[in-house]
Amino acid sequence: MPYVSKEWLASHVELREGTDLAQIAADLVRVGLEEERIVPPAVQGPLVVGEVLSLVSEKQKNGKIINYCRVDVGQYNDAPGAGKEPTDVPSRGIVCGAHNFGEGDLVAVVLPGGVLPGPFPISSRKTYGHISDGMICSERELGMSDEHDGILVLTEKYSVEQIPPVGESLLELFGFGGELLEINVTPDRGYCFSMRGIAREYSHSTGGQYRDPAALELDFKLGKSGFPVVLKDDAMVRGRVGCNRFVTRIVRGVDPQAKSPAWLVRRLEDAGMRSLSLTVDVTNYVMLDLGQPMHAYDLESVNAPLTVRRACAGEKLTTLDQVERNLDPQDLLITDGEDGARVLALAGVMGGAATEVSGKTTDVLLEAAHFDTVSVARTARRHKLPTESAKRFERGVDAQLAPAAIQLASDLLAKYGGGVPEDVAFEVGQVPPLAPIELPYLQAQRLTGVEFSPARICQLLEMIGCTVSEGDSSFIVTPPSWRPDLVGPAHLVEEIARLDGYDNVPSVLPVARAGNGLPFATRLRRDVTAHLASSGLTQVLSYPFSGEDAVGGLGSGHVPVRLANPLAGDQPYLRTSVLDTLLPVAALNVARGNESVAIYEVGKVYWAEKVQLCDLPSASTRPSAEEIRALHKAVPIQPDMLGVVMAGPRHRATALEDATNFDWADAVQVVKDVAGVLGIKLHVAAAPDNTAPFHPVRVAQFTLGQKVVGYAGELHPDVIRRLHLPPRTVGAEVDLQVLIKRAGRLPAQVKPISSFPAAKEDIALVVAEDVPVADVQDLIESTLGEYCEEVRLFDIYRGGQVGENRKSLAFAMKMRAADHTLSAEETAGLRKALVKRAQKKFKAKLRAE
């Protein structure tokens, strides 16, 4: 993100009197440049010149030798006889462990209250038997370099004329600026990655006079003289040429030992860059100031001509970061020589090590070009090189800026390095002006609700550099070269609203369309989540990524979607089951000491077995109907699922009752309750073997008609052990999308309450072991018919009294009629009919008392 210093901004635009960075931030926000933060100076507080008056070396018990110094810090001295360690000479006492200085040396002293980079606040403190009332600093402690062999002796680095008097501030000499404003630039505002663009926006906000730093008079002639360049792109990406303008100029006789001026170094450091050499610093500065990335070559190491072309299979390049990179045929390269065989740079991204400017370079070849945004963006991502140059090219660089950038760089090299630029510059390629846009007269009012006069629209568009003319029913607007993001009427309206002020756009709430409120499926989904939350479960939202060790569930047997660029290498797939990501959440909670876990998630899963892959259509035009159909076929199936995991104690032990843990019945009941909320009755039966990730026996299968819609039960011991979950952890997964589709749209019909007494009967039926309890309960309920109020299983018995592979199911039945009291004969008849049907369907017998 760009950094703005008040001093740099003021060099391009008139600031209002008394303006500070906070006010600048507020002014920029009004035109859409959001403040990220205000960065305090790297060094704060008093940093002054100190003269060492005395130095006493003292050996400590640990063998270390320290120096106790009395240092003259001018106006900050303690008076004679005052201070924490009084002396007769005005000074301060400071303990220092370095030994590369002596009495009479001028040093950098930060006094109590100051802050060094880190941040490292300085205060008076007792150390080695003395009060150290400040700190004598090294270059590394000041953040100036990595030098830490000793403290900074000022006369060894600066001339006597440069060093301020004793006690005066060193902030200006060291180039430590004031506060910096960090701003957030949206991807469509690439021109604001330069001080030129930010100053222009500040001018729009405040009306301050803008001075375009690119409005330079060229002292060279553009043409076919100079260092030649060939543009050759035989494999354009999506029909876009990789480079449509390239300018070179030679600067000879640059002093390789010349230092960059302090103001330039300070501006680079404000932007987060280190000073390397004058030539490199100049190209970096031009990029930061104007927004045009540049590159400098050692002229002696380059052979004419330069060729801009695509990479060939098998080519390699060692970039400036000393990494050898395997090149892709879509990479745009800069090469040299008649055959263009030697690769010099990744165009618009990073240069190569073979032709970099060194400490011996005197003749420099400057490059300023305009590269395609898509080509640079792909190369930068492919090689994981998000360089400052790539950030600007992929957002769009002013196509007309290259000559001005060459001029500014040449001027700086001539002024500070003694270089002599040639009076010609080679240019190849031509960038046409941006396409005109037709803006209907009332379009701005229609989209914003604000009534703009034609004169006001022209004023605002011309303010940003557009050329505006009036047609029969619309404006004809040609965007400026630095705004390639303006490609349609809506973009122009956005600029009009932005510059006029978003505060002027009325806040009008849209009128809700008459209807039934939220969609039916959304209401049902909310009913389900509200019921689960009120039942004591906690909703979680997990990332839908899974690895090779996915647990299964309803996703078993489905083909997973593999991501081309996963966030984590061990999670390359989209989940096929909600339990794939919900179980790790439960494990994390258990690992963090949460003994009782009851969580659920409603989310999508992704099944790829019906996917038909297709090529992505170009974004330059609207896809055809056939392309849209192909895209739909390439989208995986994405049903909504409900997952539940419960582990640990359901109730903690108290003085009155023992603790009880969640078990498989709790998981089954959760699914039944969800179905009840939707007004659906699910059939419950024992699940088949090997239903991952569940226990082979303690798991139920839910069906709706002939379709399996979910499972609930105890998790497999291997899964529990692998995830370090509590023993007998239970879970459930249900296809919520299917349940919601089957839910009725009419409200549930409530039966009238009968005032007649209920008749209660218990019945115990002996059936085969493999007969599901749910089937027997369904039979009882259907037999009792309209008289059935409640059927509840209260006991299961297995033993010698019922025989091998048999079980006794005891149910409590509550029956009630709406219009009379059930007689003994009626209840006996119902009981008899029930036994008869059970015998016929299940070969059941009534259990003897």
Side-chain angles (χ1 to χ4, degrees):
M1 296 182 185
Y3 291 90
V4 180
S5 71
K6 182 179 175 181
E7 173 268 333
W8 196 350
L9 183 65
S11 67
H12 297 335
V13 66
E14 180 184 7
L15 303 184
R16 291 183 292 191
E17 187 175 352
T19 294
D20 58 9
L21 275 186
Q23 183 58 51
I24 291 174
D27 293 334
L28 291 176
V29 164
R30 282 199 295 272
V31 287
L33 295 179
E34 182 181 352
E35 171 194 352
E36 195 70 24
R37 59 176 178 149
I38 292 180
V39 183
V43 177
Q44 304 174 51
L47 174 65
V48 300
V49 177
E51 181 181 359
V52 180
L53 301 180
S54 65
L55 182 152
V56 179
S57 297
E58 299 177 356
K59 188 172 183 178
Q60 305 301 307
K61 293 180 180 179
N62 59 5
K64 182 177 181 179
I65 298 176
I66 62 97
N67 299 315
Y68 178 66
C69 310
R70 298 301 302 189
V71 183
D72 180 6
V73 288
Q75 59 182 316
Y76 298 99
N77 284 332
D78 293 330
K84 297 174 180 176
E85 291 193 36
T87 65
D88 296 334
V89 180
S91 60
R92 286 203 180 206
I94 299 176
V95 174
C96 182
H99 303 284
N100 67 316
F101 67 104
E103 295 179 359
D105 282 338
L106 297 179
V107 293
V109 179
V110 60
L111 299 173
V115 179
L116 294 178
F120 181 53
I122 303 300
S123 61
S124 295
R125 61 190 183 94
K126 187 171 183 179
T127 179
Y128 297 112
H130 295 280
I131 299 297
S132 186
D133 205 17
M135 180 175 176
I136 303 174
C137 302
S138 68
E139 289 191 36
R140 190 168 76 175
E141 289 163 341
L142 291 169
M144 298 171 63
S145 73
D146 293 331
E147 179 63 42
H148 195 57
D149 290 339
I151 59 98
L152 171 61
V153 178
L154 297 177
T155 52
E156 295 178 359
K157 189 175 180 69
Y158 303 96
S159 66
V160 175
E161 292 76 17
Q162 291 178 293
I163 302 173
V166 171
E168 296 299 315
S169 175
L170 284 166
L171 294 177
E172 184 175 351
L173 176 64
F174 290 167
F176 294 146
E179 295 179 322
L180 295 175
L181 170 63
E182 184 181 6
I183 61 173
N184 185 15
V185 177
T186 54
D188 62 329
R189 308 278 290 280
Y191 64 98
C192 287
F193 269 84
S194 68
M195 196 58 64
R196 178 194 187 212
I198 296 171
R200 190 189 303 275
E201 290 300 317
Y202 180 83
S203 173
H204 296 338
S205 176
T206 64
Q209 183 179 359
Y210 173 66
R211 299 176 291 274
D212 189 353
L216 300 174
E217 183 178 350
L218 303 184
D219 64 4
F220 58 88
K221 182 179 179 181
L222 281 170
K224 298 304 179 182
S225 300
F227 198 95
V229 180
V230 177
L231 302 183
K232 182 181 178 182
D233 191 352
D234 298 330
M236 295 185 292
V237 177
R238 295 188 178 276
R240 301 163 66 107
V241 64
C243 177
N244 53 15
R245 191 178 196 184
F246 204 109
V247 180
T248 62
R249 190 185 192 187
I250 296 173
V251 181
R252 299 186 185 275
V254 177
D255 181 2
Q257 304 306 317
K259 300 293 184 183
S260 299
W263 65 267
L264 192 150
V265 173
R266 182 169 62 252
R267 289 182 178 182
L268 290 178
E269 291 175 346
D270 286 347
M273 291 185 171
R274 291 187 302 116
S275 173
L276 299 175
S277 67
L278 176 62
T279 302
V280 176
D281 291 353
V282 163
T283 57
N284 284 336
Y285 172 73
V286 171
M287 176 184 67
L288 296 171
D289 195 44
L290 302 186
Q292 171 68 57
M294 295 188 66
H295 190 66
Y297 301 90
D298 184 340
L299 182 63
E300 291 186 2
S301 64
V302 182
N303 301 312
L306 294 182
T307 301
V308 183
R309 63 170 176 83
R310 298 289 173 179
C312 299
E315 283 191 296
K316 297 182 179 182
L317 170 66
T318 300
T319 45
L320 288 172
D321 56 0
Q322 303 303 316
V323 175
E324 185 179 71
R325 302 182 184 277
N326 296 315
L327 303 180
D328 186 273
Q330 286 194 348
D331 289 335
L332 190 68
L333 308 179
I334 298 174
T335 63
D336 73 341
E338 292 294 339
D339 56 358
R342 187 173 65 145
V343 182
L344 304 184
L346 286 170
V349 180
M350 183 177 282
T355 57
E356 69 176 316
V357 173
S358 68
K360 298 180 180 180
T361 301
T362 57
D363 297 338
V364 177
L365 175 64
L366 295 176
E367 164 211 310
H370 186 257
F371 298 113
D372 175 55
T373 57
V374 173
S375 181
V376 172
R378 288 191 174 188
T379 297
R381 283 159 179 74
R382 188 179 300 115
H383 296 284
K384 296 180 174 60
L385 282 174
T387 61
E388 294 295 327
S389 173
K391 289 177 184 177
R392 286 160 176 80
F393 276 123
E394 67 184 24
R395 287 167 171 81
V397 169
D398 185 348
Q400 306 300 329
L401 196 54
I406 290 285
Q407 180 66 56
L408 180 56
S410 301
D411 290 346
L412 293 173
L413 289 176
K415 182 175 182 179
Y416 296 105
V420 180
E422 292 190 350
D423 57 3
V424 294
F426 186 91
E427 180 185 31
V428 62
Q430 190 64 39
V431 181
L434 297 177
I437 302 170
E438 189 173 329
L439 176 65
Y441 287 134
L442 298 179
Q443 184 80 336
Q445 180 178 345
R446 186 178 72 84
L447 293 181
T448 66
V450 179
E451 186 174 348
F452 296 100
S453 67
R456 179 61 172 163
I457 291 176
C458 288
Q459 177 191 11
L460 294 173
L461 291 177
E462 289 173 350
M463 184 186 298
I464 63 173
C466 294
T467 301
V468 185
S469 61
E470 297 186 24
D472 294 336
S473 59
S474 60
F475 297 101
I476 306 301
V477 183
T478 302
S481 58
W482 58 86
R483 294 301 304 271
D485 58 298
L486 301 179
V487 295
H491 301 128
L492 298 177
V493 172
E494 181 184 3
E495 292 300 298
I496 292 169
R498 181 175 70 87
L499 296 179
D500 188 64
Y502 289 127
D503 292 342
N504 295 329
V505 178
S507 298
V508 180
L509 291 176
V511 178
R513 188 171 60 182
N516 298 321
L518 292 172
F520 180 67
T522 302
R523 294 205 307 272
L524 292 183
R525 192 177 295 108
R526 291 190 177 185
D527 289 343
V528 168
T529 57
H531 168 76
L532 293 170
S534 64
S535 299
L537 281 80
T538 300
Q539 185 175 14
V540 301
L541 297 174
S542 61
Y543 288 113
F545 310 120
S546 65
E548 301 284 352
D549 55 349
V551 296
L554 285 177
S556 297
H558 289 285
V559 178
V561 176
R562 187 180 183 92
L563 300 172
N565 190 20
L567 291 179
D570 59 344
Q571 294 181 326
Y573 300 104
L574 289 174
R575 66 188 178 192
T576 59
S577 166
V578 175
L579 293 179
D580 289 347
T581 57
L582 191 59
L583 283 172
V585 173
L588 180 63
N589 277 270
V590 171
R592 294 295 185 271
N594 191 351
E595 297 178 358
S596 179
V597 175
I599 57 177
Y600 73 95
E601 179 175 4
V602 175
K604 292 187 180 297
V605 297
Y606 307 86
W607 301 334
E609 52 265 22
K610 294 185 179 180
V611 167
Q612 299 179 20
L613 297 179
C614 66
D615 294 330
L616 290 176
S618 171
S620 59
T621 59
R622 178 181 174 83
S624 66
E626 183 178 349
E627 287 175 322
I628 293 175
R629 283 193 296 271
L631 288 174
H632 282 302
K633 292 179 181 179
V635 176
I637 302 170
Q638 303 173 47
D640 291 316
M641 295 289 186
L642 166 65
V644 177
V645 176
M646 296 180 288
R650 184 198 310 114
H651 299 296
R652 299 183 186 278
T654 67
L656 301 178
E657 61 180 348
D658 296 332
T660 57
N661 290 334
F662 289 110
D663 60 20
W664 65 268
D666 295 310
V668 171
Q669 191 60 47
V670 166
V671 178
K672 286 184 175 180
D673 290 344
V674 167
V677 169
L678 300 175
I680 295 173
K681 186 174 179 60
L682 298 176
H683 180 74
V684 187
D689 293 341
N690 301 321
T691 304
F694 295 99
H695 192 283
V697 176
R698 304 185 189 111
V699 56
Q701 175 179 280
F702 297 89
T703 54
L704 189 59
Q706 300 299 315
K707 182 176 179 60
V708 177
V709 295
Y711 299 99
E714 189 176 310
L715 297 179
H716 197 285
D718 291 344
V719 174
I720 293 174
R721 191 179 306 110
R722 175 160 54 89
L723 294 174
H724 305 289
L725 291 168
R728 311 197 76 166
T729 295
V730 299
E733 185 173 26
V734 183
D735 192 332
L736 193 59
Q737 188 162 301
V738 171
L739 299 188
I740 288 176
K741 285 182 178 179
R742 292 290 296 271
R745 286 185 171 270
L746 295 177
Q749 300 302 311
V750 180
K751 295 181 180 180
I753 298 176
S754 174
S755 60
F756 294 94
K760 298 180 180 179
E761 290 275 344
D762 291 346
I763 189 170
L765 298 172
V766 178
V767 296
E769 182 65 50
D770 59 355
V771 174
V773 173
D775 289 355
V776 179
Q777 184 166 336
D778 288 344
L779 178 71
I780 296 173
E781 291 174 351
S782 63
T783 303
L784 299 182
E786 61 178 328
Y787 300 128
C788 179
E789 183 168 296
E790 181 185 9
V791 176
R792 177 174 55 85
L793 176 71
F794 66 88
D795 183 59
I796 300 178
Y797 172 77
R798 297 177 178 87
Q801 296 183 19
V802 297
E804 189 176 357
N805 294 326
R806 306 279 286 178
K807 60 185 176 184
S808 170
L809 305 178
F811 294 91
M813 302 180 296
K814 182 187 290 187
M815 298 164 284
R816 193 193 306 263
D819 55 358
H820 67 283
T821 300
L822 290 174
S823 64
E825 291 77 10
E826 288 177 298
T827 57
L830 290 171
R831 182 185 181 91
K832 183 177 180 180
L834 173 59
V835 173
K836 185 176 181 180
R837 291 189 65 192
Q839 287 175 342
K840 182 176 180 180
K841 186 171 184 179
F842 304 120
K843 297 181 181 180
K845 293 182 179 181
L846 193 64
R847 182 181 173 187
E849 295 296 336

